[in-house]
Amino acid sequence: MTFGIAARLGWLLALGGILTVGMTGYYAYDASRTLLIEAAKNELLTSTQVLARRIALTRESVSRDLHVIANHPAALAALDHKGSVAKDDLATLFHLIMGANPGYFQVRLIAADNHGLETVRVDRDGLGLVRVEDDELQEKAHYPYVFNTLKLAAGETYLSRIVVNHEHGSHAGLDQPTVLFAMPVTNAVGQVKGLIAINLDLKGLFALLAKDLPTDFKLFLANRDGDYLIHPDPAQTFGFDRGRRILIQDEFPATGALVDKQRDAIVLDVDSGAYAEAPIVAAFIARDVDIASDENRLVLGLAQPLSAVLRQGDMLGSVTLRIVLLLSLLIAIIAALLARFIARPINAMSAAAQNFDDDRLTAALPLTRQDEIGILSRSFRDMRVQINQQLAELETRRGELEHMAQHDFLTGLPNRALFADRVELALANARRNRGRLALLFIDLDQFKPINDTHGHAVGDQLLKCLADRIRDTIRESDTAARIGGDEFVVLLQEVRETDDVLAVADKLRRAIALPCQIDSAEACISASIGVAFYPEHGNKLTELTKHADEAMYRAKEQGRNAVVMA
């Protein structure tokens, strides 16, 4: 049987069409898998950076608590042996701080003399707090966190190594993973009289951080030498405490560059060793500790099963296979009759398959045709739309994580880091244009009794209401932020008259004092507001914050619910 040119061309076109459809499906599936893996890596890296930032914020929060205690008059009075009243006052302050921070195992005042004798000490024991007194107080001068902290200047924070706590009599903290923060207590002439030490529950801290992660994420943390501190398998953690080394660079060799300070971040696929049967995608970052510490570098990582990343890609592959089989059959039937008509569409499909991300090539497909080529083109377009939708969802999740890193999760206001960036930009603009700006420090009056009486849920709703009030009261060009539990700050730009700023501050005070509707009841609270101006009260954020904070405390001393200028 002799085949003519048309028949041979038909067979060639049929074969070419089938190959083209197959290539389209293959490139689409392969591109989707690659894009999904790369998007997952970027998401993991972003999530890891957000976790690192939240850990840094936790350290800053502990440092603020240390600063409050170390500068409390009762701390110096207790170290100078001025009676039991100061010790009792300090113990009360310890109870309040530990009540507000369930992750604190211990808060202690330790003297620089008397062999580092504990002067005031409150421990967490079960669900309650216990004050350790008299003969149960211990000498701690031989511990590194004591003699290293005593070498620091006033206001500096010390961070111990992360270990399992074996100090005798530690109550709830005994034999638990812990990290210790400390700060010296100095007198008026700068002489170090002792130190404040806070033991932090490491297991509880990372359990709280991991709660916000997707369930299939795995969390890793290693110290400067690579010893595991956090691992999905608890048996792999704190091996050095049991006389053996379990290192992150042994499980993930590429992380050796992080431990050796050759790199600060890596993203990798792991499909060997313990992960040969269940490969993972992982992101690790290393951060140097920027305060006085024996733990001068930490390695943090997140991992996700590769199967979870590719689950959507596999679903798309199944759809692609069915489309390829259907279209191959259609092309084989009509190839002999439409050889000349299908040449150009096939070439267009091949080009679009090989350049999957090019919108112009996809738009050039014959989408309006009502024959099999039109079906093939629209199927290809729909497949591309599915992939783009999945990538858009991943991009949205990454954007949400970045937003979480810069905004307060409760009120939606900028957090301390974002507020500091905006103040620095405003200061630079003010210096360039010889302008003025104002910083308002707002502290709610008697907010803790509301939490204690009505619960944190009511307190959170009240904070949201007040945050909305503050946001609605100021201009769009100004910035309001929440920097603590009941503390807010406001940046007013392009300030001219002092009285105008004080009028805005008083307007904020009156707005805060209005009742907030919470469920079926009304809640009322007042605020004390301190005001500082650039350049009169400083040309740096720290100076403006200090003066505004001092003015706020004077407002509280004058009876609260007031505005005071620095």
Side-chain angles (χ1 to χ4, degrees), residues 327-338:
L327 295 178
S328 297
L329 178 61
L330 292 174
I331 289 174
I333 293 173
I334 65 175
L337 301 175
L338 302 174

Side-chain angles (χ1 to χ4, degrees), residues 49-65 101 104 181 200 205 209 290 403-409 414-418 482-484:
Q49 291 168 341
V50 170
L51 273 183
R53 179 58 185 159
R54 294 184 65 180
I55 294 171
L57 291 175
T58 299
R59 179 185 62 77
E60 293 171 7
S61 176
V62 177
S63 294
R64 286 194 296 272
D65 288 343
N101 296 275
Y104 290 179
F181 294 83
L200 185 65
L205 170 64
L209 294 176
D290 56 1
H403 183 272
M404 288 172 56
Q406 294 184 324
H407 290 78
D408 175 49
F409 73 95
N415 61 15
R416 183 185 297 271
L418 180 55
R482 181 187 178 208
I483 61 172

